[in-house]
Structure formats: C-alpha cells, structure tokens
Amino acid sequence: MGAGILGLAVARRLAETRPDVTVTVLDKEDRVAAHQTGHNSGVAHAGLYYAPGSLKATLCRRGVRLLKEYCEDRNLPYEECGKVVVARDAAELAALDEIERRALANGVPGLRRLTGGELREIEPHAAGIAALHSPTTAIVDFPTVARAFARDVADGGGEVRLGFEVVRLGRAGDRVTVASPGAELVFDRLVVCAGLQSDRVARLAGDAREPAIVPFRGEYYRLARSRTDLVRGLIYPVPDPRYPFLGVHFTRRVDGGVDVGPNAVLALAREGYRWRDVRPADVWETVRWPGFRRLAREHWRTGARELYGSAVKRAFVAEARGFVPELTAADVVPAPAGVRAQAVDADGSLVDDFRLGRVGPVTTVRNAPSPAATSALAIAEHVVASL
C-alpha cells in the first residue's frame, strides 16, 4: 500500500524475488510519487549523519550503492556533485567533529575535512571556518526513479492500482481484507508504506497508536537562473542534534536549478503544501496527540523562529546568507514545498530512525523519513526478507 518510491521498491523486490506471488500496489492518488517522493530535494545521501549501527546508517549505505547501480543501468540521472557540511564558527566545530566520526564509522567514502580556504576551493561563494566534504553525495530525480520502479512491477506481472483509497482493513487469520468505497480485495500479506497516512492505516490494521505522524511543511526558494553560479553542489549547515531536520541548505538539482531551504513549519493538513491548505480534522488530530503538545511546549521558540522565516522572506534569506554571504532577496524566487511525515512518540520524542511494525499478516512502515528515498531499495530488501 502506497505508490511512493518505498512502496514501489518493496513491490518491485517481491516481483523480482518471489515469482510465485502476485503483487498489487494500491494508492489513493491518480499517479505514483504524488507526495513525499514527488516533493523532496532529490539528494542521494551518502550516510554522514546517522548513528552507526542504526537502520538509517546501514540501509542508507547499502541503498545508495543500489540506487547508483540502478540509475546507471537504466540511464537515469545520477550526478555525484558532492556536499559540504559547513561550520560557520567555533561553536559548531564539536558538532562537525561528531558528524565526521559518524560518517567515518558508517564507511562514507572519500570524506575529507576542510579548512575555510579549502572550502572555498570547492564552493567559492561559501563562508565558514571548516567543513566536511562528501564527494559521493549525489542528486537524482526520485519521481523518475519511482516511475521506473512502477514499470518494473508491471513487467514482473504485478499491478499498480491507482485511485484506490483504503477506508477499511480486516484481518481473518493469515488473510487481510483491504476495502475502498467501491471494491474489496483479499491478500495473504500487506505491507503499509503510506507515508503521510502511515499511522492512520497502521491503526486500521490494529497496530499501536504511536508513533503518530505530525506533518511539517518544508518551504523552499529557488535561485534565479542568473544566480545559480553561486552554488556548485550541495551546501549544508551543521544540523542541530536535537532535531531530525537538517536546516536551511542549498541543493543543486538535476535540471540545473538550485533550491534554498527548507524550513520546517507545522502543516495544517496532512497533505498541506500551501498555507491555504487547511483541514480542520487533521489539525485537531495533531493537537490532540499528547506527543505533539509535549513537543510544542519544549520547542516553541524554535517553532516561532521557523514561522517567522516562513512569513518574512528577508528572515529566510538571512539564514541562508550565513552560508552564502552574496545572496540577496532579489536572487531567489518561491519554489514548491514538501511535507515531511514526522513520526512523534507519545512522550514528545521525534522518531529519528526507521521504524517498522508487524500485526499478523500486516507489516507497517511507521517512520521512513530522509534518507528513505536514498535507502528505498535496501529497505525493500529488509522488508521482503521479513515476510
């Protein structure tokens, strides 16, 4: 269930390794990659940030190798433009040291510590006193990859059934019934990769209440075409270890454009890509979740700062200018936003690692944020091996 890159990767893996089964992918939208897959930054992560030994670290490193091989085999865009993680001042050096330690433990290839001068040799317009350079961090077109996965599923005898909104799940022994308003299907196994709706579908299957999904919209600007020379590859900040968000950064895309962002503001709908996208039922569900209320009490100052950056362009640009001082408000134009399905436990903890569940014949992917797109083929191996 779910025709994003992860659901399609799982279906593809099943069709590839289990010729004895019939595979069906269900999605409520009229196209694949409609939500997180189609609204992300297009970065194939090398595995810098993740705790050594975690699912994120293990599956990202395997996943990026598989993704690169897949793109090369299918002649899909895959450009190793490289990334620098920049420390702006001495206060950020300890956190940069920790990222370097994790990256080395995770086996990130080609990693190099840079001085401020060496940073400017790679990114001439960037500012910082030190940086880490990951030359194998790449950019891809994930919607194109997802569409290729969908073709693989069909070529393997499976079906991608769009416009199928699941409203009810029923379990009887080792069988599971999946119902939409106009149809009812019965399967031996169900894998839920529902992204922004993953907690709701997991509960339909009888899984636990937590974690719950809290939607955070990531808003972007894009460099004007005349200013894309300000950035050669990817320029990232040293992330705040309290949050799974990476902060405002510069991301070159495979079409030659450069995105600036994202921030992280609470979305007023599960699929709310604009401020005017408001669903009161979604808002009510969010504020009722005890984990969200605890999160908001602890981090309201950060939330207020993100809201200010959302409302005031010059504040957003000022944050980005800390890394590229030449940037001005005239250099950027609005770009499409994305919504992150952030899982939050009842105690207010932001779930960082991938989290899977199992209820009888139903496997639930309860948390799969970045680098899930990078890791999709490896996550698919992991999930299918458990079925």
Side-chain angles (χ1 to χ4, degrees):
M1 187 184 303
I5 194 167
L6 183 52
L8 291 166
V10 172
R12 176 185 176 276
R13 179 68 177 173
L14 277 166
E16 180 182 57
T17 61
R18 296 285 303 275
D20 56 316
V21 306
T22 301
V23 181
T24 304
V25 180
L26 306 174
D27 198 286
K28 66 183 176 65
E29 304 296 348
D30 61 359
R31 64 198 187 282
V32 304
H35 293 295
Q36 291 187 109
T37 303
H39 292 82
N40 70 26
S41 62
V43 176
H45 293 278
L48 275 71
Y49 308 102
Y50 319 121
S54 66
L55 280 177
K56 270 191 175 183
T58 303
L59 297 180
C60 180
R61 286 300 308 142
R62 168 125 180 103
V64 74
R65 290 193 293 271
L66 294 173
L67 177 64
K68 180 180 181 180
E69 291 170 3
Y70 185 88
C71 289
E72 290 176 345
D73 182 61
R74 304 304 173 94
N75 199 29
L76 301 178
Y78 189 96
E79 179 186 345
E80 289 185 341
C81 62
K83 173 167 73 174
V84 288
V85 181
V86 178
R88 291 171 291 184
D89 54 44
E92 295 182 330
L93 290 177
L96 190 68
D97 290 342
E98 174 60 15
I99 294 171
E100 183 176 21
R101 184 193 69 79
R102 290 186 175 198
L104 292 172
N106 292 338
V108 175
L111 192 72
R112 186 162 69 101
R113 184 71 171 248
L114 307 176
T115 64
E118 291 168 333
L119 165 64
R120 282 176 285 280
E121 292 176 6
I122 294 171
E123 290 286 355
H125 302 280
I129 66 167
L132 286 178
H133 181 219
S134 169
T136 62
T137 297
I139 51 177
V140 298
D141 184 339
F142 283 120
T144 296
V145 174
R147 289 189 287 271
F149 286 176
R151 290 192 293 271
D152 292 343
V153 172
D155 291 345
E159 178 185 11
V160 179
R161 188 163 176 173
L162 302 174
F164 192 102
E165 182 174 5
V166 174
V167 296
R168 183 174 57 82
L169 297 178
R171 288 169 36 220
D174 290 333
R175 311 274 284 182
V176 57
T177 301
V178 181
S180 76
E184 189 171 282
L185 305 174
V186 180
F187 300 101
D188 297 305
R189 296 287 184 272
L190 176 66
V191 181
V192 176
C193 303
L196 288 158
Q197 310 293 338
S198 59
D199 57 337
R200 291 171 171 170
V201 180
R203 290 169 192 160
L204 288 178
D207 205 354
R209 289 185 67 214
E210 66 177 314
I213 295 299
V214 175
F216 283 93
R217 185 170 59 255
E219 297 165 330
Y220 289 87
Y221 285 92
R222 186 162 290 164
L223 291 186
R225 284 289 178 179
S226 61
R227 298 295 277 164
T228 56
D229 62 330
L230 288 174
V231 178
R232 290 179 172 178
L234 311 174
I235 303 174
Y236 277 57
V238 176
D240 187 330
R242 296 173 298 170
Y243 306 105
F245 311 107
L246 294 177
V248 171
H249 48 272
F250 294 80
T251 307
R252 182 165 288 280
R253 302 187 70 92
V254 293
D255 64 2
V258 177
D259 284 353
V260 186
N263 59 2
V265 296
L266 182 68
L268 302 180
R270 286 287 178 108
E271 296 157 6
Y273 299 102
R274 302 162 299 181
W275 272 112
R276 65 177 179 269
D277 295 334
V278 180
R279 291 194 60 181
D282 288 356
V283 176
W284 178 237
E285 186 175 356
T286 294
V287 299
R288 285 183 60 204
W289 179 240
F292 171 75
R293 296 198 298 273
R294 294 185 175 103
L295 177 71
R297 283 196 299 269
E298 184 174 353
H299 300 294
W300 66 269
R301 290 182 179 84
T302 299
R305 186 170 65 248
E306 294 290 303
L307 284 171
Y308 182 65
S310 173
V312 181
K313 181 180 180 180
R314 67 176 182 274
F316 191 107
V317 173
E319 178 71 17
R321 193 182 297 123
F323 302 94
V324 179
E326 294 173 51
L327 188 72
T328 71
D331 295 331
V332 299
V333 296
V339 179
R340 177 190 177 105
Q342 177 59 55
V344 179
D345 279 328
D347 65 0
S349 301
L350 292 162
V351 181
D352 186 37
D353 204 2
F354 301 144
R355 187 177 294 184
L356 311 177
R358 184 73 177 264
V359 184
V362 182
T363 298
T364 57
V365 179
R366 295 297 299 258
N367 190 54
S370 178
T374 300
S375 311
L377 290 169
I379 296 173
E381 288 181 339
H382 183 78
V383 169
V384 170
S386 71
L387 297 180

